[in-house]
């Protein structure tokens, strides 16, 4: 039996190790299964967070993203803290990231690339314009890259935005964009 976070158990591989979906700057994301419903989810775990500000921001952002009901933003279904570890449970996108898909299958065809751009633009509009008491002017994602775009279905192509870990608070309604980072991997 794997570690349990809330009502979700981390799935173990045949060798007994945890099934890791990805590793990032903030933590590790595992494949998990709901204990009662038995459906798959992604479980992001932040190990031993002693910084109260980082802890509060992680939970605030999880609550904020949980309120963003959008077909192209990954759904947060649970979050919490246990044994000094923060965790968030997300819907699972079985086809992996856009980066992994393009590494294995080559660049997207133009119609698919345009569809991804349209879906991400819609998701980002929702993120940037949604207001809450914690983020009265919305959030900027600040880390749009193929690794943070998950493929929910292939036909039709349906993608979802993930990883709000470096999201920045919009300080005012007047936002200036001074820096543009282009993907390092070819996706088109």
């Amino acid at each position: 039996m794997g570690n349990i976070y809330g009502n979700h158990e981390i799935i173990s591989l045949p060798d007994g190790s945890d099934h890791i979906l990805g590793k990032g700057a903030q933590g590790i994301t595992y494949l998990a299964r709901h204990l009662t419903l038995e459906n798959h989810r992604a479980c992001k775990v932040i190990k031993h967070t002693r910084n109260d500000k980082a802890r509060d921001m992680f939970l605030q952002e999880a609550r904020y993203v949980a309120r963003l009901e959008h077909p192209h933003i990954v759904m947060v279904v649970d979050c919490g803290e246990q044994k000094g570890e923060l965790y968030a449970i997300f819907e699972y996108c079985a086809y992996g990231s856009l980066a992994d898909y393009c590494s294995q299958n080559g660049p997207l065809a133009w119609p698919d690339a345009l569809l991804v751009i349209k879906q991400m633009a819609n998701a980002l509009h929702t993120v940037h314009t949604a207001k809450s008491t914690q983020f009265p002017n919305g959030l900027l994602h600040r880390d749009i890259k193929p690794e943070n775009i998950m493929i929910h279905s292939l036909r039709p192509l349906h993608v979802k935005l993930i990883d709000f870990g470096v999201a920045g608070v919009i300080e005012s309604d007047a936002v200036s964009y001074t820096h543009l980072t282009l993907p390092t991997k070819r996706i088109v």
Side-chain angles (χ1 to χ4, degrees):
M1 184 178 232
N3 290 329
I4 295 177
Y5 295 92
N7 288 323
H8 294 82
E9 176 187 7
I10 303 300
I11 293 176
S12 297
L13 295 170
D15 67 3
S17 63
D18 292 335
H19 188 142
I20 296 174
L21 296 174
K23 293 181 181 182
Q26 288 190 348
I28 301 174
T29 302
Y30 301 96
L31 182 61
R33 178 179 34 248
H34 191 281
L35 293 170
T36 305
L37 301 175
E38 298 184 356
N39 58 348
H40 289 117
R41 298 288 186 196
C43 177
K44 183 174 185 178
V45 178
I46 311 299
K47 303 274 186 192
H48 310 295
T49 305
R50 292 192 172 99
N51 180 329
D52 286 341
K53 185 174 181 177
R55 177 193 170 281
D56 292 345
M57 280 302 293
F58 176 83
L59 295 174
Q60 254 183 12
E61 287 172 13
R63 284 190 289 268
Y64 180 81
V65 175
R67 291 185 189 107
L68 297 175
E69 295 182 19
H70 190 279
H72 300 294
I73 297 173
V74 73
M75 184 174 44
V76 177
V77 296
D78 192 13
C79 74
E81 183 175 10
Q82 63 187 45
K83 299 179 187 174
E85 297 177 328
L86 292 170
Y87 68 92
I89 307 292
F90 301 92
E91 70 179 301
Y92 173 57
C93 296
Y95 294 97
S97 73
L98 181 61
D100 290 342
Y101 180 83
C102 291
S103 290
Q104 295 169 8
N105 300 290
L108 295 176
W110 277 107
D112 286 339
L114 292 173
L115 187 58
V116 168
I117 292 167
K118 180 180 178 184
Q119 291 176 11
M120 287 299 95
N122 285 330
L124 289 169
H125 180 264
T126 297
V127 172
H128 296 170
T129 59
K131 314 284 189 218
S132 73
T133 54
Q134 296 95 358
F135 307 108
N137 295 308
L139 282 179
L140 288 174
H141 188 282
R142 298 196 314 189
D143 199 19
I144 303 302
K145 58 186 178 183
E147 291 83 352
N148 288 340
I149 299 171
M150 302 302 290
I151 299 175
H152 188 260
S153 67
L154 291 172
R155 295 288 170 237
L157 183 61
H158 183 106
V159 296
K160 294 190 177 238
L161 182 61
I162 65 164
D163 200 353
F164 289 75
V166 296
V169 177
I170 298 175
E171 298 294 338
S172 72
D173 289 332
V175 177
S176 64
Y177 299 91
T178 57
H179 182 71
L180 173 66
T181 303
L182 297 174
T184 56
K185 294 179 182 158
R186 185 171 176 205
I187 60 171
V188 177

